Amino acid sequence: MTAPTESTAPVPLRRNRDFLLLWTGNWLQFFGSRLSGVCYPLLALGLSGGSARVAGYAATAAVLPYLLFQLPAGVLVDGWDRRRVMQLSALGRLLVLTTVGVALVLDRLDVRALVVLIGLDVSCALFSSLAERASIPVIVPAGQLRSAMAQNEARGRVAGLVGGPIGTVLYTWTKSAPYFAAAFGAAVAAVNVRFIRSDCRPPGAGTGHRDVRRELLDGLDWVRRHRFLRAAIPLVSASSGLLQVVSLALVVVLVKEQGHDPDTVGLLVGISGCGGAVGALTARWWMGLLPFPVLLVGGFAVWSALIAGMAFVTGPLALGVLFGAMNLVGAVFGVATAVYQLTATPARLQGRVASIAGLLTAGGPALGAFASGHLLDRFDGAGTMLITAGGMALVALCAAAVPAVRQARPAAQAPEPDPDPDPEPGPEPGPEPGPEPDSTPEPEPQPGPEPEPGQATEPGQATEPTRV
């Protein structure tokens, strides 16, 4: 695998042909995911005559791939040409989304088929996201990773901000429109990836028979041996669960307790989305201003203060400003941790480390969703917010008390592959081995696909794990 070097002045990202092809194609694909994703529950309700249970089946189909396929996807991404994985994933999404649209036009779509198609769509998006993230260090010089990841984060925030409203408008016009639009985005992504010239193959790709079980255990062992990851994964999982409580509690506070119309939730979402976009665009500045441990511990602490503030304000505007500030912090957090993971993780383990961390942190939001209902039943919205703020403050204190977090520093350059702990005959070819895990700052993996990363999402929706 080849990677850009900094022996000569690198071209700006706006003139980096491969990065522009990857960024624009996947922006359209991610925007399409927002268009179609917001309409899947509406479509499930429509096909079932308003059954909330069927809508729950659709939501489950969108979550299961992360539990079932995240680890196999990481192994695949670390063993195949990542450009090929992205292209096949985009073509798979093109086929699935076109099938949904055509079936709606012909009035031949039923609930069972919809659930299966949702699962296939999300599965393809998962593989594509892991492959894209692992390819960034190959396409972008190490000195430009901050800018590249900030642009990716902004891409996700903007798509999330405008994709949902546009998707519902298209769905109102004609049910098939969001899916044909999303299929177009997937088609563009497949074409763009085809013309990327960078060699996105991981070290040792295609060298012979692969032992998937051994490769997965290799990734798990690499993660286990890092002091930073052992501390960071539980902290991130806990913070993700607390953000899930906030997301669900906001709906109760606005609609049930303060008596606002449900439409006001849209105002809050719009304000918070703007905050996330600002955070993504300014992330590079924050990373240059503050040391990495300060961003981590400070992010948890600021979240705690903002959540506590929500207990004492009223109205969608004030709550939206606080929620927007939370999204700003989440965007900076996401960019900083993404850069850390990409520069610290060996090239051959990028996919596995990302998928393992994503799976391990996924328990937080699930537990948060379960706990939020009980908290809101026992306490009012303000009480729930204060309890959640206390939990986040505890996370910040724990992070500050762990030496591995306080001493974490991003690597100075793009990662090199490390040696196989137990090499079998016929070692993998590739660059020189990198440092042993316990001798360098430990990596920080993402959790799952892009999207994206460690942010509070729309009120009432599931919050994805904060990306480590």
Side-chain angles (χ1 to χ4, degrees):
M1 181 179 66
T2 61
T5 66
E6 294 183 302
S7 57
T8 60
V11 298
L13 287 180
R14 65 179 181 274
R15 293 169 50 197
N16 184 326
R17 176 183 177 276
D18 285 354
F19 178 73
L20 290 177
L21 286 171
L22 183 66
W23 193 92
T24 54
N26 281 329
W27 187 89
L28 286 173
Q29 186 169 212
F30 188 69
F31 178 70
S33 295
R34 293 301 190 187
L35 292 179
S36 59
V38 74
C39 297
Y40 277 136
L42 300 175
L43 184 56
L45 287 172
L47 292 175
S48 64
S51 171
R53 177 177 297 180
V54 171
Y57 293 156
T60 302
V63 173
L64 277 179
Y66 293 98
L67 300 176
L68 298 178
F69 303 130
Q70 188 140 228
L71 293 182
V75 174
L76 175 69
V77 165
D78 284 341
W80 285 12
D81 185 344
R82 289 157 179 166
R83 185 178 61 176
R84 186 67 169 166
V85 173
M86 288 187 284
Q87 187 177 26
L88 291 176
S89 298
L91 291 173
R93 296 199 69 226
L94 170 63
L95 178 61
V96 169
L97 292 164
T98 302
T99 299
V100 175
V102 171
L104 286 171
V105 170
L106 300 178
D107 197 20
R108 299 294 298 272
L109 185 66
D110 60 23
V111 169
R112 285 176 294 183
L114 175 64
V115 169
V116 171
L117 290 168
I118 291 173
L120 291 173
D121 184 16
V122 175
S123 298
C124 290
L126 169 63
F127 280 82
S128 178
S129 177
L130 287 173
E132 179 198 6
R133 193 180 185 95
S135 300
I136 292 292
V138 179
I139 294 173
V140 175
Q144 295 179 342
L145 279 177
R146 290 184 181 184
S147 296
M149 297 313 299
Q151 290 189 30
N152 275 6
E153 185 77 14
R155 174 188 71 183
R157 300 285 175 163
V158 172
L161 179 63
V162 301
I166 292 177
T168 55
V169 170
L170 291 175
Y171 184 84
T172 302
W173 175 50
T174 176
K175 292 181 179 179
S176 61
Y179 304 100
F180 285 128
F184 172 77
V188 173
V191 173
N192 281 15
V193 170
R194 172 65 178 81
F195 290 101
I196 290 177
R197 296 170 181 167
S198 299
D199 184 0
C200 296
R201 291 173 296 178
T207 56
H209 175 71
R210 301 178 60 208
D211 186 340
V212 175
R213 178 178 175 274
R214 180 180 176 279
E215 291 183 14
L216 181 56
L217 292 176
D218 185 17
L220 287 167
D221 182 63
W222 195 85
V223 171
R224 179 188 61 81
R225 289 185 292 126
H226 281 75
R227 294 180 298 110
F228 178 78
L229 286 182
R230 290 198 299 268
I233 286 177
L235 293 171
V236 168
S237 182
S239 67
S240 297
L242 295 168
L243 293 177
Q244 176 68 75
V245 175
V246 173
S247 178
L248 297 176
L250 280 173
V251 175
V252 174
V253 171
L254 271 177
V255 178
K256 182 179 178 181
E257 296 183 3
Q258 297 184 9
H260 295 285
D261 293 333
D263 292 344
T264 58
V265 175
L267 173 62
L268 186 148
V269 170
I271 297 173
S272 65
C274 292
V278 171
L281 294 173
T282 59
R284 185 181 179 186
W285 180 80
W286 287 107
M287 292 172 66
L289 179 67
L290 300 173
F292 185 66
V294 175
L295 287 175
L296 294 181
V297 179
F300 293 135
V302 172
W303 270 337
S304 175
L306 292 171
I307 295 170
M310 290 181 178
F312 301 102
V313 300
T314 59
L317 182 60
L319 288 171
V321 169
L322 293 176
F323 200 47
M326 290 185 65
N327 272 271
L328 188 154
V329 174
V332 175
F333 197 111
V335 173
T337 54
V339 171
Y340 188 86
Q341 180 255 310
L342 290 173
T343 57
T345 304
R348 71 180 186 89
L349 290 172
Q350 289 278 358
R352 277 168 284 179
V353 169
S355 62
I356 289 168
L359 184 63
L360 293 177
T361 56
L367 182 59
F370 176 79
S372 59
H374 293 277
L375 286 172
L376 290 167
D377 280 343
R378 186 180 181 108
F379 308 97
D380 60 5
T384 298
M385 290 294 187
L386 290 174
I387 292 172
T388 306
M392 192 67 78
L394 181 60
V395 171
L397 289 173
C398 290
V402 176
V405 174
R406 295 198 308 269
Q407 298 165 7
R409 296 293 186 276
Q413 59 184 11
E416 297 289 343
D418 68 347
D420 196 329
D422 297 302
E424 295 183 352
E428 295 179 345
E432 290 297 319
E436 290 295 327
D438 284 334
S439 65
T440 61
E442 291 77 14
E444 206 165 326
Q446 81 177 46
E450 202 174 314
E452 274 167 252
Q455 66 196 57
T457 56
E458 299 179 10
Q461 291 189 353
T463 302
E464 295 182 4
T466 306
R467 294 180 177 175
V468 186

